[in-house]
C-alpha cells in the first residue's frame, strides 16, 4: 500500500469524526492507500496538542500554511468553518496537495467558483467535498438500484433533513448561526446534504428551483452571555424543484423540527417502484417494487456481507 | 331521538361508504338525531334499485330534483362527481334541506362562492363538506393538544397525501382524470384533505402559497378502449405555504407515489413538541414532548375508551 | 337471499360487537344469507329493552329458553360469560338451531366435550366458535400463503397476546377474574385466540405442550368496594409447544404487559420465508421471502381490492 | 494513562471486532488505561502475520503459551472457539494476566467452574466475559431505568435472539455446528446473550427454568464437500423461566428464523411501565410509562450527548 500523509485543519466535531475515519479506514477496508495521520492544525497551541495526543496525530501545527508546506503531507483535510474553506483549499491545491473539503463547500458562489477553477487547474490532484452520506451502504444500494432501472422512470423526490438543536430561544449565537462564518444556516449545513444526496442517488441534476427560508428566532444570547446578537442565517429552508429528467421534488431543511435529531429522510418514487431512507435508521433501506397482492415496502437490513 | 330523513345523490364508491355511516352512526354513538335512510338517487333505474336493496335504503329515485322535493327527506347527501355539486347543493338549500356535500366542494372558485352564499342565505340549515378525516380520533386528539398549547408555537407543517392508482400508463381516462367532471386531479381530490386537515388541526389559516402541478402521463386510453384522450388534470401537486400564525409548510398530493396506497401523513413541529399522523396507520398518533434524555416520539394507540 | 333469524343471548361488550356485525354483514359483503336481528336476550328487562332499541334488534327476551323456542329464530348467538355456554349451546342445538358460541368454548373440558358431542349429533346445523380474528384479511392471506407453500417447511411459531387492563392492583374483581364464571384468566380469554389462530394459519395441530401460569395480584377489591376477594384465575400464561408437523412454538398471554393494549402478535418462520402480524396494526402483514440482497420483511398493506 | 499491553488469541471474526475496539477505545472515550496492541496469536504463521499487519498488531505468535509468557502483555483476550477457552484462560490467570474471554464462557459446566475458581484465586486480576451488548447505550439506559424503579415491579421478560444463517440445508458443517468445538448451538452462541442481558438489565437472577432444544437439519455437508456429517448442536432453543424477583420469562434462540439477521429483542413489562429493545435498531430504546390518554411506547433515540 502507498502511504498517504494527511494534514487536517480543524479539530472540533468534524475533526474528531475525520480522525476516526483516517485511523481505521485501511484496517477495515481493503484500500489502495495507507493513510498516515501526519499533522493536525488548530489556532490554540495547547488545545491542538491535546487533540493530537487524544486522536492519534503524529504532530501538530498552529498555522495551516505550515501544514501545506510539509513534505510529509500529501492531502489536506479542511474541517474548519466555511469562511476559511476557499483560502485553505486553493492554497493547498497550488501547493500540490490533494484536498478533502468539508461541506458546505464555500460561503459564497464566488468562492465556490474560484475553488472549482483551482481544482480544474490541478487535474492530477484529488479535490473532493465531504458528502460522507453518499457512502452509507443503504444509499449506495439505492443509487445502484436506480441506475439499474429497478425503479423505472423517477417521478418524485421528497427529502427532508430535520434537526432540533436550536429550538430553545436561549440557545446561544454560535458560529453556525452567523452568516459571515457559516455562510448560511440550515440550508447550507444540512440542506446541502439532501440536495447532494438526491442528485447523487438519482444520477440527475436539479434544473429549476423555487423556495423560501425562515428565521424563527432572530435574536439570541452571545456565547459569552453578555447581550443578544442578530441571527443572520436561516433556521429553516423549504424548496420545490424539478430535475432535468422530469422528477418533481420537495426539500426541507430545518433546525426547528422538535424531536427530530438527525432525520435525513429521502423517498423516491419511480414508475416501477420506490425507495425510502432515514438516517436515524441508517441500516435500513425501504424498497417497494410493483408486483402482486403481496407487494409492500420491504425493509432491507443493510448488514449482510454482500451489501455495498 | 329526532328522526333525520336522508336522501343521498350518488351510489358509487362514496355512496357505499356514506350508506355504511348512515346505517350505523346512531347504533354506535349517542347521537341526538336518528338518521333514516329514506332515498337514494342515481341515473340508472336498475342500478340504483339494486344499490337501494343492497345498502338498505327505503326507496330510490333517478332524478335528484325529486329527492329534494320529498317531505320525508331532511338532508341531502351529495356524493356525485364535482361538476354537479353546486347545482344540487344550492337547489337543496333553497328547498329547505340540510346539505352534506362531498369534497372537493366545487370545480371552480365561482361555484364554491355561489354555494357559500347559498349557505349563508339559509343559516338555520346545515351546510357541511365531507372532510371526514377530521373525525379520526388521532386527528381530533392532535387538534386538542395543539389548542391546549401542548406543542407551543407551531413552526412547521409537512403534509403529504400519496397514492399510486394511476401509475400504470394504461390506466384508463376515468372521470377523475377529466377536468370538466373532476375539476382538478390530485390537488382537489386528495390535496384538499391535507390542506383542510392542517388548517383544522392547527386552528389557523394559510396566508400565502406557492406551488406547481405536474401531469406525468398526458394521454390515456378511453374507458371504452377505442382510442386515447387527453388527461386534463394534475397527477401531482406540490406547494409551499405560510400560515397566518407564522408556521411554514410543505404540501404534496400525488397519485404517482408507487407503493403508497392511502398515505395521508401530517407532521407538525412546535416549540415544545411535535405530532405525526399517517392514515395508513390511523389508530396511531405519534407525539413528542420535549423533556429529558428519555424523550422520544411516542405512539399513542388511539383505541382506549377515553380517547375522542 | 335466504333470511336467517338471529337470537342473541347477552348484550354487553361482545353483544354490541356482534350486533354491529349482524347489522352490516349482508350490506357490505355478498352473503348467501340475509341475517335478521330477531331477538336479543338479557336478564334485566329494562337493560335488554334499551339494548334492543339502541342496537337495532326487533324484539327482546329475559329468558334464553324462550329465545331458542321461537320459530323466527334460526341461529343462537351465545355471547354470555363462559359458565353458561354449554347449557345454552346444547339446548339450542337440540331445539334445531344453528349455534355461534363465543370463545372460550367452555369452562371445563367436560363441558367442551359435551358440546362437541351435541354438535356431532346435529350435523346439519352449524356449530361454530367465535374465533373472529381468523377472518382478518392479513390472517387469511397468511393462511393462504402457508397453504400454498410460500414459506416452505414451518420451523417456528412465536405468538403473544398482551394486554394491560388489570395492571392496577385496585382494579376490581370482575367476573373475568373469577374461575367459576370465566373458567380461566388470560389463558382462556386471549391465549385461546393465539392457540387457535396459529393452528388455523398453519393448518396444523399442537402435538405437545408445556407451560405455566401466574397470578401476580391474588386479592382484589370486590366490585361493590366492600372488601377484597380472591383472584381465582391466571394473570398470565406462558407455553412451549411442538406442532405435529415439527414446528416449535412459544405462546404467551398476559394482562400485565403494561402499555400493550391488544397486542396479538404472531410470527411464523419457514424454510423459505416468514410472516409477522400484529393486531394493533391489523391492516399490515409483514412478509419475508428469501431471495437476493434486496430481500427484507415487507409490509403488505391489506387494503387493496384483491385482498381476501 | 497507564499502558495496557494486550495479547489476543484468535484472529477471525471476533478477532477483527476486538482489534477495532482495542485500536479506538482510548481515542474515543476517556479511559484510565491506554491499550497497546502488543501481540496477536494464531496457528497459521502466514495468516497471523497478515492479520497483524492488517489489523495493526505490533507482533504475532503461533503458540498462545508464548503470548502469556511475554512481559509486554498484561491482558489476554481469548477470541478462540469454546473448546480452548478454559485452558487458555486458566493458564493466563496463573501467569498473572488479566483475562477477557469471549462467550460462551466454556463448553461444559465443569470447565466453567474451573475457570471461576481460577478467577477467584487471582482476585487482583480482571477476569471478564465478552458480553459486549451490555455496553450498548440503550441497554445501559434500560438497566438504569429499572434500577431507579421507573418500571416498578418487573412482571415479564420476553427475549429472543433470532438469526437465519443456517436455514439452507446445504450450509456446511462448520465448527459452530459441532458440539466438541462449540459446546452448544444457538443456545450458547446467542441464547447466552439474552439470558445474560436480561439478568444484567433486571439486576436479578433466573431461579428456575424449563426448556427444549431442536435440531431441524441433522446432517450437513462437511466443509470440504466430501460427504455429510452429523450436526451435534441445537438449531434452536426455547425456554420458560422464573426470576428470583417474581418475573416470568420466555427465551428463544434460533438460527432458523428466516429473515431475521441479528434480532436480539428484549421486552420487559413492569407495574409502572415497559421497555423494548431490538439489536437490529440498536440506537432505539422503546419506553412506556403509564400516564394519561397520551401515553404510548416512545422511541428514545440514543444518540444524544447525555446518553450513557
Amino acid at each position: 500500500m502507498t502511504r498517504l500523509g494527511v494534514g487536517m485543519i480543524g479539530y472540533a466535531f468534524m475533526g474528531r469524526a475525520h480522525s476516526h475515519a483516517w485511523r481505521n479506514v485501511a484496517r477495515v477496508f481493503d484500500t489502495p492507500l495507507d493513510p498516515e495521520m501526519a499533522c493536525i492544525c488548530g489556532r490554540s497551541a495547547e488545545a491542538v496538542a491535546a487533540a493530537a495526543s487524544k486522536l492519534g496525530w503524529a504532530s501538530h501545527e498552529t498555522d495551516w500554511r505550515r501544514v501545506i508546506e510539509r513534505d510529509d503531507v500529501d492531502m489536506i483535510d479542511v474541517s474548519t468553518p466555511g469562511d476559511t474553506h476557499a483560502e485553505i483549499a486553493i492554497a493547498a491545491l497550488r501547493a500540490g496537495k490533494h484536498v478533502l473539503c468539508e461541506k458546505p463547500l464555500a460561503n459564497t458562489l464566488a468562492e465556490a467558483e474560484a475553488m472549482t477553477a483551482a481544482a480544474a487547474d490541478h487535474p492530477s490532484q484529488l479535490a473532493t467535498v465531504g458528502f460522507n452520506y453518499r457512502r452509507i451502504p443503504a444509499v449506495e444500494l439505492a443509487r445502484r438500484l436506480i441506475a439499474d432501472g429497478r425503479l423505472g422512470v423517477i417521478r418524485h423526490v421528497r427529502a427532508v433533513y430535520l434537526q432540533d438543536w436550536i429550538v430553545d430561544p436561549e440557545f446561544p449565537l454560535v458560529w453556525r448561526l452567523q452568516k459571515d462564518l457559516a455562510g448560511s444556516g440550515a440550508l447550507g449545513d444540512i440542506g446541502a446534504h439532501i440536495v447532494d444526496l438526491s442528485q447523487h442517488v438519482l444520477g440527475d441534476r436539479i434544473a429549476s428551483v423555487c423556495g423560501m427560508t425562515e428565521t424563527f428566532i432572530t435574536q439570541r444570547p452571545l456565547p459569552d452571555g453578555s447581550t443578544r446578537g442578530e441571527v443572520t442565517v436561516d433556521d429553516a429552508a423549504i424548496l420545490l424543484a424539478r430535475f432535468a429528467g422530469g422528477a418533481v421534488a420537495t426539500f426541507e431543511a430545518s433546525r426547528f423540527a422538535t424531536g427530530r435529531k438527525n432525520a435525513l429522510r429521502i423517498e423516491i418514487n419511480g414508475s416501477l417502484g420506490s425507495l425510502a431512507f432515514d438516517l436515524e435508521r441508517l441500516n435500513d433501506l425501504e424498497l417497494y417494487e410493483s408486483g402482486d397482492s403481496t407487494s409492500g415496502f420491504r425493509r432491507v437490513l443493510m448488514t449482510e456481507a454482500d451489501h455495498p
Side-chain angles (χ1 to χ4, degrees), chain A residues 140-155 200-203 268-275 287-290 298:
Chain A
E140 174 58 11
L141 180 58
R143 192 193 64 75
R144 291 184 192 180
L145 289 170
I146 290 172
D148 292 348
R150 289 272 287 271
L151 298 200
V153 182
I154 304 303
R155 303 299 194 191
H200 174 69
V201 168
L202 261 66
I268 298 163
N269 307 122
S271 57
L272 301 178
S274 293
L275 283 168
L287 170 62
Y288 179 91
E289 293 186 281
S290 299
R298 63 186 188 259

Side-chain angles (χ1 to χ4, degrees), chain A residues 161-179 182 184-190 214-221 223 228-237 253-262:
Chain A
Y161 200 152
L162 305 178
Q163 299 181 339
D164 72 352
W165 53 282
I166 58 171
V167 166
D168 180 356
E170 297 307 307
F171 186 91
L173 190 63
V174 297
W175 73 264
R176 285 181 186 273
L177 305 185
Q178 302 176 39
K179 187 179 177 62
S184 69
L187 180 62
D189 182 27
I190 51 179
E214 180 70 34
T215 303
F216 296 112
I217 304 288
T218 55
Q219 303 262 338
R220 287 182 180 273
R228 284 175 181 266
E230 195 80 15
V231 175
T232 47
V233 301
D234 56 288
D235 288 335
S254 176
R255 293 163 170 173
F256 270 74
T258 307
R260 301 302 180 191
K261 302 306 175 187
N262 209 25

Side-chain angles (χ1 to χ4, degrees), chain A residues 11 42-50 60-62:
Chain A
Y11 56 89
R43 280 170 299 188
S44 156
E46 192 175 2
V48 77
H60 47 91
E61 299 275 4
T62 56

Side-chain angles (χ1 to χ4, degrees), chain A residues 2-307:
Chain A
T2 309
R3 176 191 175 281
L4 178 81
V6 179
M8 187 171 73
I9 321 299
Y11 56 89
F13 179 56
M14 276 303 131
R16 286 199 302 276
H18 286 215
S19 297
H20 191 81
W22 293 122
R23 188 186 313 125
N24 290 293
V25 61
R27 302 291 184 201
V28 174
F29 300 101
D30 290 325
T31 54
L33 297 172
D34 187 18
E36 185 182 298
M37 298 167 70
C39 183
I40 187 172
C41 177
R43 280 170 299 188
S44 156
E46 192 175 2
V48 77
S53 168
K54 176 73 183 174
L55 301 174
W57 292 87
S59 67
H60 47 91
E61 299 275 4
T62 56
D63 181 349
W64 61 264
R65 288 172 190 82
R66 294 287 306 277
V67 183
I68 68 174
E69 288 165 3
R70 285 172 60 150
D71 289 341
D72 65 339
V73 166
D74 305 301
M75 179 168 213
I76 299 295
D77 176 341
V78 185
S79 291
T80 54
D83 61 322
T84 54
H85 285 188
E87 184 181 14
I88 300 173
I90 293 171
L93 285 166
R94 289 181 182 158
K97 309 300 189 193
H98 303 296
V99 171
L100 165 65
C101 182
E102 254 304 321
K103 39 60 51 185
L105 181 61
N107 278 5
T108 68
L109 182 59
E111 286 174 345
E113 289 174 341
M115 293 167 86
T116 308
D121 288 345
H122 301 83
S124 65
Q125 294 158 238
L126 285 177
T128 66
V129 185
F131 286 117
N132 56 312
Y133 295 144
R134 291 187 180 192
R135 302 299 180 214
I136 293 170
V139 171
E140 174 58 11
L141 180 58
R143 192 193 64 75
R144 291 184 192 180
L145 289 170
I146 290 172
D148 292 348
R150 289 272 287 271
L151 298 200
V153 182
I154 304 303
R155 303 299 194 191
H156 285 291
V157 175
R158 64 192 66 83
V160 299
Y161 200 152
L162 305 178
Q163 299 181 339
D164 72 352
W165 53 282
I166 58 171
V167 166
D168 180 356
E170 297 307 307
F171 186 91
L173 190 63
V174 297
W175 73 264
R176 285 181 186 273
L177 305 185
Q178 302 176 39
K179 187 179 177 62
D180 54 345
L181 294 173
S184 69
L187 180 62
D189 182 27
I190 51 179
H193 274 298
I194 47 176
V195 167
D196 174 72
L197 217 49
S198 59
Q199 294 192 136
H200 174 69
V201 168
L202 261 66
D204 197 1
R205 303 287 290 181
I206 292 173
S208 61
V209 70
C210 151
M212 56 183 274
T213 59
E214 180 70 34
T215 303
F216 296 112
I217 304 288
T218 55
Q219 303 262 338
R220 287 182 180 273
L222 297 184
D224 63 7
S226 60
T227 177
R228 284 175 181 266
E230 195 80 15
V231 175
T232 47
V233 301
D234 56 288
D235 288 335
I238 54 178
L239 314 173
L240 305 179
R242 208 181 281 272
F243 279 77
V248 297
T250 59
F251 293 98
E252 176 176 7
S254 176
R255 293 163 170 173
F256 270 74
T258 307
R260 301 302 180 191
K261 302 306 175 187
N262 209 25
L264 187 169
R265 297 178 180 186
I266 296 192
E267 179 169 328
I268 298 163
N269 307 122
S271 57
L272 301 178
S274 293
L275 283 168
F277 172 74
D278 179 353
L279 184 61
E280 290 186 347
R281 284 179 165 162
L282 85 169
N283 289 328
D284 295 355
L285 181 67
E286 300 276 339
L287 170 62
Y288 179 91
E289 293 186 281
S290 299
D292 61 9
S293 64
T294 65
S295 291
F297 274 84
R298 63 186 188 259
R299 175 191 173 212
V300 182
L301 192 61
M302 300 297 305
T303 51
E304 298 304 287
D306 59 350
H307 283 140

